[in-house]
Amino acid sequence: MKVFKFGGASIKDAEGFRNVLSILKKFSGQEIVLVVSALGKTTNALEEVVHSYFERNGNANQLLNEVREKHFNLLSKLIPDSSHKVYEELNNTFIEVDWILEDEPSESFDYIYDQIVSIGEMVSTKMLAAFLNESGMKTKWRDVRDFIRTDNTYREGKVDWEITEKKIQAQLVPASKNGLVLTQGFIGGTSENFSTTLGREGSDYTAAVIAYCAGAESVTIWKDVPGVLNADPRYFSDAKKIDHLSFKETIEMTFYGATVIHPKTIKPLQNKNIPLHVKSFLNAEASGTVIDSDMNDDARTPVLVLKPEQILISVSPKDFSFMAEEQLAKIFGMMAKHRVKFNMMQNAAISFSFCADDAKERVNPFLEELSNEYKVLLNEGLELLTIRHYDEQTVQTQTQRREILLEQKTRNTIQLVVRRF
Ligand code: ASP
Ligand code: MG
């Protein structure tokens, strides 16, 4: 079995759907499980719905209607016959959200978020399955919540590997024996049948979970870039494709913030030695990047990773006492409690500084609790720049027009918390 993952950018319009079909045709007759995300930008739009619902600003229904319209618009281009049953299926899925929005929010934000945001993948996969079937490519649609079991950590569901593996072996593996199986990325289900999400951009991880549990031969992530590049083309000019990477190098890159693959994707694949291909859906014949356990070609060129939207928090005791282990344990405890993710840290005699993602909804309550006990300094609007396999030249070029607030170096990696000017 091969697992293919197509992200939102690959199915953002009718042309994208046709392109996916043409790629799948090249693999016809093979056992393929297809993992698909929501249509491009849908998850963001559904997040907006959730925010308005909780802010009670009266816009939630309108925002939801825009998402609904966009889907039906696209559907009418793919399947003009509006009596096709997929129209009703889509309609019913959106109605479930209408029902949620009818009442005042009484459940937790994260729970509601998952019930609403997860429909993006439900509807995109229904549309794609109907389109593929209408185009003569026999496709079985499966509800991923029936086999990826998570706990109820909403917005960050933790996979129950034992149950998930049993269900995938019992349901998905047999289904893939004859023809294409299509399912949703990013979502899972709890033992009580509620939807969970696995974290933003989590569809890659879904592909890895399925591959691991099914013992797949490979995973291919189809993207709008030619493969893994040595720098994110959104932030750096002159990015070059890397033909081959080890799991180790890749997990480091994603840990530092490379968004080409979701960070959680690598572990399950490494654990079963399942190669990961990153290929372009715009040029399916091109070789892309292969990621596996072979470490021989790592470390050839500098790899640049930029994490935007960072804050630097400096904490010191109010009474000039040392920032010792008990203090740090306390601060880490608060971070874990508020699910604040730190990306780099440094300590000194009476201060402890760390760089974290600027996720306001988590950071603000954390800072509030922190300031009760400590003196807290906050710097916002920063970036975390990581250069793996750095050389003088690269560091120099990259630090031009950037003020460095914090720096850390190992033999392999340099990390800089910077402000751009
Ligand atoms: N649709 C989800 C997101 O945008 C999951 C994914 O694309 O992987 O975060
Ligand atoms: Mg996406």
Side-chain angles (χ1 to χ4, degrees), residues 78-224:
L78 298 169
I79 302 176
D81 173 12
S82 62
S83 66
H84 190 289
K85 71 175 191 327
V86 67
Y87 279 81
E88 198 187 328
E89 288 173 355
L90 239 62
N91 202 32
N92 290 341
T93 310
F94 281 109
I95 286 174
E96 284 172 33
V97 185
D98 289 329
W99 284 341
I100 298 177
L101 300 183
E102 255 172 38
D103 298 321
E104 286 283 293
S106 58
E107 312 268 3
S108 81
F109 181 90
D110 289 353
Y111 167 81
I112 295 290
Y113 176 103
D114 280 3
Q115 309 320 302
I116 293 181
V117 166
S118 59
I119 73 145
E121 271 69 14
M122 299 310 289
V123 290
S124 68
T125 53
K126 283 190 169 146
M127 289 165 69
L128 183 58
F131 171 72
L132 294 174
N133 278 314
E134 287 298 311
S135 310
M137 175 151 291
K138 207 173 140 246
T139 308
K140 276 172 269 182
W141 181 90
R142 287 289 185 276
D143 188 333
V144 74
R145 298 170 298 187
D146 293 338
F147 47 85
I148 295 192
R149 171 66 59 81
T150 71
D151 67 0
N152 57 4
T153 315
Y154 294 104
R155 293 181 74 187
E156 231 174 305
K158 304 269 171 307
V159 171
D160 181 326
W161 289 92
E162 213 173 297
I163 296 181
T164 301
E165 182 156 11
K166 274 198 193 118
K167 288 180 177 280
I168 285 180
Q169 287 293 341
Q171 298 174 30
L172 203 62
V173 171
S176 74
K177 296 281 179 230
N178 43 23
L180 190 63
V181 180
L182 165 55
T183 195
Q184 304 76 39
F186 181 51
I187 59 187
T190 67
S191 57
E192 292 165 294
N193 268 326
F194 293 119
S195 303
T196 50
T197 62
L198 308 175
R200 283 304 307 268
E201 307 302 331
S203 297
D204 297 347
Y205 180 50
T206 304
V209 171
I210 292 176
Y212 177 96
C213 293
E217 130 196 2
S218 65
V219 172
T220 305
I221 296 183
W222 296 90
K223 297 201 58 105
D224 56 1

Side-chain angles (χ1 to χ4, degrees), residues 347-416:
N347 70 318
I350 57 162
S351 78
F352 170 61
S353 302
F354 61 95
C355 169
D357 293 345
D358 191 1
K360 293 269 184 303
E361 72 285 3
R362 292 177 188 183
V363 168
N364 288 348
F366 165 71
L367 288 178
E368 211 178 292
E369 186 172 346
L370 199 62
S371 339
N372 287 338
E373 282 190 53
Y374 300 95
K375 216 173 97 197
V376 179
L377 279 173
L378 177 66
N379 267 290
E380 295 175 291
L382 306 177
E383 295 172 336
L384 176 61
L385 172 65
T386 304
I387 311 175
R388 300 266 301 155
H389 320 302
Y390 61 92
D391 54 36
E392 257 332 293
Q393 166 80 56
T394 313
V395 175
Q396 219 173 49
T397 320
Q398 292 304 326
T399 49
Q400 278 166 13
R401 294 200 308 280
R402 280 179 169 135
E403 176 198 358
I404 301 172
L405 286 84
L406 197 64
E407 173 174 338
Q408 235 168 52
K409 239 180 193 176
T410 66
R411 268 179 303 166
N412 244 319
T413 308
I414 182 165
Q415 288 201 284
L416 305 153

Side-chain angles (χ1 to χ4, degrees), residues 122-355:
M122 299 310 289
V123 290
S124 68
T125 53
K126 283 190 169 146
M127 289 165 69
L128 183 58
F131 171 72
L132 294 174
N133 278 314
E134 287 298 311
S135 310
M137 175 151 291
K138 207 173 140 246
T139 308
K140 276 172 269 182
W141 181 90
R142 287 289 185 276
D143 188 333
V144 74
R145 298 170 298 187
D146 293 338
F147 47 85
I148 295 192
R149 171 66 59 81
T150 71
D151 67 0
N152 57 4
T153 315
Y154 294 104
R155 293 181 74 187
E156 231 174 305
K158 304 269 171 307
V159 171
D160 181 326
W161 289 92
E162 213 173 297
I163 296 181
T164 301
E165 182 156 11
K166 274 198 193 118
K167 288 180 177 280
I168 285 180
Q169 287 293 341
Q171 298 174 30
L172 203 62
V173 171
S176 74
K177 296 281 179 230
N178 43 23
L180 190 63
V181 180
L182 165 55
T183 195
Q184 304 76 39
F186 181 51
I187 59 187
T190 67
S191 57
E192 292 165 294
N193 268 326
F194 293 119
S195 303
T196 50
T197 62
L198 308 175
R200 283 304 307 268
E201 307 302 331
S203 297
D204 297 347
Y205 180 50
T206 304
V209 171
I210 292 176
Y212 177 96
C213 293
E217 130 196 2
S218 65
V219 172
T220 305
I221 296 183
W222 296 90
K223 297 201 58 105
D224 56 1
V225 285
V228 178
L229 308 179
N230 74 329
D232 187 330
R234 285 175 302 176
Y235 309 125
F236 302 96
S237 53
D238 221 19
K240 290 188 186 62
K241 191 194 72 149
I242 305 172
D243 297 332
H244 176 264
L245 280 167
S246 67
F247 288 124
K248 168 133 192 320
E249 184 64 35
T250 313
I251 206 164
E252 296 284 350
M253 284 172 68
T254 61
F255 173 77
Y256 292 124
T259 55
V260 59
I261 302 161
H262 191 283
K264 291 201 308 201
T265 311
I266 303 302
K267 180 177 186 285
L269 300 181
Q270 188 278 344
N271 288 177
K272 285 221 175 149
N273 206 6
I274 299 170
L276 170 62
H277 301 264
V278 181
K279 284 167 72 90
S280 167
F281 60 72
L282 301 167
N283 184 5
E285 304 299 334
S287 60
T289 301
V290 184
I291 300 163
D292 58 24
S293 54
D294 176 2
M295 306 210 331
N296 285 328
D297 345 305
D298 289 344
R300 295 253 164 98
T301 45
V303 172
L304 277 63
V305 183
L306 187 84
K307 229 172 163 31
E309 289 167 50
Q310 297 296 298
I311 51 176
L312 185 65
I313 301 174
S314 295
V315 190
S316 33
K318 285 179 172 161
D319 61 358
F320 217 69
S321 58
F322 283 121
M323 210 20 138
E325 289 72 15
E326 297 118 66
Q327 312 267 20
L328 293 176
K330 208 189 266 175
I331 297 171
F332 282 125
M334 287 185 204
M335 279 186 202
K337 176 176 149 197
H338 294 285
R339 287 155 78 189
V340 167
K341 302 229 186 307
F342 70 91
N343 300 315
M344 176 181 168
M345 56 183 170
Q346 211 160 70
N347 70 318
I350 57 162
S351 78
F352 170 61
S353 302
F354 61 95
C355 169

